[in-house]
Amino acid sequence: MDLPHDANGARAGAAALEHFTVVRDDAALHVVRSRPWDATERRAPIVFFHGYPDTWETWTTLMDALAPTHPVAAFDQRGVGGSTGPSGREGYAFARYFEDLEAIIDGLVGPEGQVHLVAHDWGGALSWMFAEQPRYARRLRSLTQIAGPHPALMLRRLGRALLRPSARELGFFADQVRRSWYIFFFQLPRVPEWYIQRGFPEVWLKAMRAGGVPADDPMLRDALADLAGLRKAGLTPLALYRQALGRRPPPLLPVHVPTCAIVPTRDFALRPEIYDALPEVVPDLEVHRLDANHWAHRERPAEVAAIVEAFVRRH
């Protein structure tokens, strides 16, 4: 299903939240959830998985909108926000993020429970890999991706543009590489860390505004009150980017979890064509093309919340 959406939305009132910690062997993960939390609740909760360079607070508008009708939760990735991180680079391997997500699901609904996972950006890339694995896929009632490309399909689409060179394909390839310049920049040793440290908070604000976050968004004001937290969110996930180009191309595996892909058509970082092949690997797929930029959930929160609400209710 491929549906256009055009309505604008406004921020709702703040949801009542409680904070707790999931302790792992090498990290303590900061989790927030709607209050009161009922362990006997029959509805699977909605869990939000943030991207780069965010913390759980990128989800406040969606949590506000959905908390009245669904249990909701979000968390800080390891080493980001209120979560601690491991000391060594090996602690940021993809597998550790999968184990973190499983541990958080266990903490929310028990070892046999399921959740509706909503992911953005790097959270989206990680959740595709999570959902490909039967061990983890069984924990998901549904998956919603917001500006979250499938890593293997994205690489395949870029490769196809070079293998079948035409003016159109080469133009697509050049434009996507231009948009993804920071991925290559982040491969350099030490230079990205120096740049981010030196440029904060201006570099963070520039990224948010380029990605469609409104200038009056309260998230910007609140984040600027914690510059140390902002730097953590900008520095820690560099390990993820360095794995993205430093590993063998991921295998193309099917995702059998019911999936909703929200594709921002004005995404400053990703061409919409990146998502065109999703039906090949996701049999149960719903696609919504949204007139929005990368942070669609901040730019058009009511509209994104309505899509998530309807999709979750169907599953």
Side-chain angles (χ1 to χ4, degrees), residues 129-151:
M129 293 184 275
F130 185 87
E132 289 172 340
Q133 302 178 52
R135 167 188 170 181
Y136 299 128
R138 69 180 185 86
R139 310 305 306 275
L140 302 181
R141 185 77 57 85
S142 74
L143 173 61
T144 298
Q145 297 281 6
I146 305 170
H150 188 294

Side-chain angles (χ1 to χ4, degrees), residues 66-142:
L66 296 169
T69 54
H70 298 276
V72 296
F75 66 99
D76 288 323
Q77 291 180 16
R78 53 177 43 216
V80 170
S83 295
T84 66
S87 57
R89 183 174 177 179
E90 65 279 358
Y92 292 98
F94 292 153
R96 302 303 282 163
Y97 287 85
F98 306 153
E99 293 162 2
D100 287 350
L101 183 53
E102 182 183 44
I104 287 165
I105 295 173
D106 286 349
L108 291 169
V109 294
E112 299 300 323
Q114 290 185 311
V115 302
H116 298 280
L117 186 62
V118 178
H120 175 247
D121 187 74
W122 252 113
L126 290 166
S127 64
W128 281 121
M129 293 184 275
F130 185 87
E132 289 172 340
Q133 302 178 52
R135 167 188 170 181
Y136 299 128
R138 69 180 185 86
R139 310 305 306 275
L140 302 181
R141 185 77 57 85
S142 74

